[in-house]
Amino acid sequence: MTLYTDPRSRRLRWSGILAGLVMGAVSTMTMLALGTVVT
């Protein structure tokens, strides 16, 4: 178990959430495009 001594390490980072949302949208669009091309 890791103990966090830095108070900034437990803070919510919106840049990480935004990056995850963008990557999810890109992968969803890629799968939709591939599915459209295949079918």
Side-chain angles (χ1 to χ4, degrees):
M1 186 168 99
T2 304
L3 295 176
Y4 293 106
T5 56
D6 187 12
R8 291 178 293 167
S9 64
R10 298 188 65 166
R11 203 178 83 186
L12 184 67
R13 308 232 175 172
W14 287 105
S15 60
I17 295 173
L18 185 62
L21 286 174
V22 168
M23 288 304 295
V26 166
S27 63
T28 301
M29 293 296 176
T30 303
M31 290 299 159
L32 284 173
L34 283 173
T36 303
V37 168
V38 170
T39 58

